[in-house]
Amino acid sequence: MGSLFLRDGIVDGRPQDILIGDGRIQRIEASLDAAGAEIIDVGGKLVLPGFVETHIHPDKAFIADRTEGLRAGGPTAQTLVAELKRQFTVDDIYRRARRVMELAVRHGCTTMRAHVEIDAFVELRGVEAMQRLQKELAGTLDLELIAFAQEGIFHDGVTKDLLREGLKRGLRWLGGCPYMDKDQRAHIDWFFETAQALGVPLDFHADSSDNPAMLTSDYIAEQAIARGMQGRVTLGHLCMLDVLEPAQRTQVVTRLREARIHVISLPATELHVKARTDTRRTWRGVARLGELREAGLNVAVSTNNIVNPFTPYGHPDLLRQALVTAMVAHLGNLDQMAWLLELVTTNAARAIGVEGYGLAEGCRADLVVLDARDAAQAITEQAEKLYVIKNGRVVARNLRESTLVIHPRP
Ligand SMILES: [Zn+2]
């Protein structure tokens, strides 16, 4: 593998050269010698580690045109999609998911952890399609797969076995969805027992509603501690914390921190799906990210859904999700935007255990170069991702051209 030299990029606020070889960052320093490497001049542009999607559903992407949208009193997004899933073929899933991944790479994503739905409707067809993509895109995008029970596990006699089969075929995470079963604790128990037996980490879609009686994240944290799985559980959504009384919320957050739970917020979907029946003071439905971060939790943001009834305008561009987050989570002050991109880079990588990740010597050369000086400008202007680099090789080069003509007074 040839070596690559990024000249004069902005790293941690300072101009630095980056020398890349053997797929890794060899050196980061001001005024390095290019030493025969291929040179890319990125003068004054922000260099970040590649974006990391931690919670995304490529298998049910691009199906908004196959069904109706959400409306008050109408079927839920889960119901609409469950019906469509019966018709999914391996090739159909493959084509739609591939489109998601190509878009994600073009927009700076170098690692993606995706949910693969496994249930009586779609059986293992998603597993087959996504594993095909995992192999085909291996040099371009690291794809981690979650065996995910979107429909719950107690409605039929096959889902539990199919989930175990998915793990046996090489999926590396197990994903639950407690609110899809009547007995949420029994659901959570089964996932912990199965994850322990098979030695895999866990992800839950958790506390998505505004009904505190349905709270599960405290129980999940308790179980993670009791079973020695601290740091090996990620939770998506966590919208419900927002409606708890502050004293109870503090208790839950303390427990989540003890369990080293990673929180993944999905703001675009929350904004589209939540609070459909509110007649005033419409609930935002997004996890209180600033507060959770302040409390010492590892928080990340991810895309979740792409062009389906959950998020008809969903798009796997994490810079866009950062802007949505700034808007909806009151994180748009300059000092907040300075760290907001950590939620789609370093924090996200930590949540899913990506090794050798970051902008330091010895780390994997998974990088994105943005057409901006700093994070705030990148978010505000939705800056172009000029280069996306995976394992030390350019996998996307993007240019945005525009011509502005200032005319004299006519
Ligand atoms: Zn999801």
Side-chain angles (χ1 to χ4, degrees):
M1 211 179 276
S3 49
L4 195 63
F5 186 82
L6 299 192
R7 176 176 283 155
D8 209 19
I10 302 292
V11 178
D12 292 331
R14 287 170 303 159
Q16 302 272 286
D17 296 333
I18 303 177
L19 179 65
I20 295 164
D22 297 324
R24 299 208 167 244
I25 297 173
Q26 303 293 341
R27 292 182 72 187
I28 303 185
E29 246 173 78
S31 311
L32 273 177
D33 180 1
E38 181 194 339
I39 298 172
I40 299 180
D41 202 331
V42 293
K45 304 299 182 190
L46 180 64
V47 183
L48 295 175
F51 294 151
V52 178
E53 284 280 9
T54 50
H55 182 132
I56 191 166
H57 299 268
D59 54 353
K60 58 182 175 193
F62 297 114
I63 53 169
D65 58 350
R66 298 181 189 183
T67 185
E68 57 179 304
L70 297 183
R71 57 189 161 78
T76 65
Q78 272 94 355
T79 305
L80 294 170
V81 173
E83 271 314 302
L84 292 176
K85 272 203 287 191
R86 293 177 202 278
Q87 314 301 327
F88 287 0
T89 63
V90 174
D91 281 342
D92 173 40
I93 298 169
Y94 170 86
R95 276 193 298 272
R96 290 182 290 98
R98 185 171 180 117
R99 193 171 155 201
V100 170
M101 285 159 208
E102 288 177 359
L103 266 177
V105 170
R106 180 255 177 264
H107 284 280
C109 179
T110 52
T111 298
M112 174 184 284
R113 187 185 68 160
H115 290 83
V116 188
E117 302 201 8
I118 296 179
D119 48 54
F121 299 101
V122 71
E123 298 171 323
L124 294 163
R125 298 195 291 281
V127 173
E128 198 180 326
M130 298 287 273
Q131 287 193 312
R132 206 169 123 194
L133 281 161
Q134 199 174 32
K135 282 196 201 93
E136 288 181 9
L137 299 179
T140 309
L141 176 72
D142 285 333
L143 185 58
E144 287 282 337
L145 301 176
I146 306 175
F148 173 51
Q150 170 70 78
E151 311 299 335
I153 52 171
F154 298 129
H155 302 290
D156 60 58
V158 297
T159 298
K160 287 185 277 191
D161 286 339
L162 288 171
L163 288 166
R164 279 189 283 251
E165 178 61 25
L167 295 172
K168 219 192 280 173
R169 290 191 189 185
L171 272 57
R172 301 240 303 262
W173 288 72
L174 182 59
C177 197
Y179 52 81
M180 294 302 287
D181 278 319
K182 232 195 191 119
D183 189 342
Q184 297 198 91
R185 289 197 171 196
H187 178 111
I188 292 163
D189 290 343
W190 184 85
F191 277 84
F192 270 102
E193 278 154 27
T194 308
Q196 281 187 299
L198 299 174
V200 292
L202 277 173
D203 174 82
F204 288 103
H205 282 59
D207 296 351
S208 172
S209 83
D210 61 352
N211 176 6
M214 300 269 290
L215 186 74
T216 56
S217 54
D218 53 346
Y219 183 69
I220 291 171
E222 254 173 58
Q223 290 302 308
I225 294 166
R227 296 165 186 266
M229 283 189 68
Q230 294 98 322
R232 288 182 39 94
V233 181
T234 53
L235 299 185
H237 293 298
L238 283 198
C239 327
M240 197 182 290
L241 299 190
D242 187 52
V243 299
L244 300 181
E245 291 299 332
Q248 190 188 0
R249 184 160 68 236
T250 302
Q251 275 177 6
V252 176
V253 169
T254 303
R255 190 53 59 87
L256 293 173
R257 192 183 51 226
E258 283 166 8
R260 300 206 303 277
I261 298 280
H262 307 277
V263 176
I264 301 168
S265 183
L266 312 160
T269 300
E270 316 301 14
L271 286 173
H272 185 69
V273 173
K274 301 288 152 65
R276 288 267 161 180
T277 53
D278 288 4
T279 53
R280 57 195 287 272
R281 295 193 179 193
T282 307
W283 180 43
R284 294 185 177 201
V286 176
R288 300 170 74 93
L289 286 168
E291 207 173 294
L292 297 174
R293 175 181 180 270
E294 201 120 296
L297 270 85
N298 183 38
V299 292
V301 164
S302 200
T303 294
N304 201 18
N305 281 287
I306 296 110
V307 190
N308 65 20
F310 293 92
T311 324
Y313 45 77
H315 187 295
D317 173 1
L318 285 165
L319 191 58
R320 179 194 290 206
Q321 299 308 328
L323 177 61
V324 173
T325 304
M327 292 177 183
V328 73
H330 291 158
L331 293 174
N333 294 341
L334 292 181
D335 57 326
Q336 294 162 327
M337 284 198 284
W339 52 257
L340 202 47
L341 292 183
E342 292 169 10
L343 275 55
V344 297
T345 55
T346 44
N347 292 14
R350 201 169 123 207
I352 63 170
V354 182
E355 297 200 340
Y357 178 90
L359 279 182
E361 292 175 3
C363 287
R364 292 195 325 192
D366 291 359
L367 308 171
V368 56
V369 181
L370 295 163
D371 189 8
R373 291 179 310 276
D374 56 34
Q377 186 191 12
I379 294 166
T380 306
E381 297 181 8
Q382 291 292 286
E384 185 56 278
K385 296 90 185 171
L386 298 173
Y387 294 92
V388 185
I389 294 168
K390 177 71 189 166
N391 293 328
R393 294 188 294 193
V394 174
V395 290
R397 167 81 171 112
N398 301 298
L399 292 166
R400 199 184 289 168
E401 221 183 300
S402 75
T403 308
L404 180 70
V405 184
I406 309 291
H407 292 284
R409 190 194 294 267

